[in-house]
Amino acid sequence: WRQGFRIALRDHGLTPSPNGGWPMAAMSGLLGIRLRKTGSYQLGNDLALVRPSDLSAAIPLTRLAGLVFLSLCALIGLRGFL
């Protein structure tokens, strides 16, 4: 998690999207891989190149992030009813 946090802080502003850079940079650090769009940006430039097997590690992380997000939304929504 430390590398994901470090890369997110360092590289989030390298993408043209102000919102997309944070999750992409964090995922780059969490997976220990370099993500790039040729001619536009490169996140985690000191990390390994992406391999097809990295996709199998990315799917559970994406599901976990979605679950955390939905849980937080539910908690925030419930606070309005209590």
Side-chain angles (χ1 to χ4, degrees):
W1 69 268
R2 288 183 180 138
Q3 180 170 265
F5 187 70
R6 181 179 62 82
I7 299 295
L9 286 176
R10 186 188 76 187
D11 293 354
H12 74 274
L14 299 178
T15 66
S17 168
N19 298 323
W22 284 102
M24 291 188 312
M27 185 67 84
S28 169
L30 289 170
L31 294 173
I33 58 174
R34 185 180 320 163
L35 298 177
R36 72 177 180 174
K37 181 176 182 181
T38 305
S40 184
Y41 60 82
Q42 183 167 282
L43 309 172
N45 62 351
D46 53 341
L47 302 175
L49 295 173
V50 177
R51 299 166 307 207
S53 61
D54 293 321
L55 183 59
S56 62
I59 292 170
L61 280 174
T62 303
R63 287 182 178 151
L64 177 61
L67 181 62
V68 168
F69 176 74
L70 289 175
S71 298
L72 288 173
C73 287
L75 286 173
I76 291 169
L78 287 175
R79 287 186 66 196
F81 291 110
L82 299 178

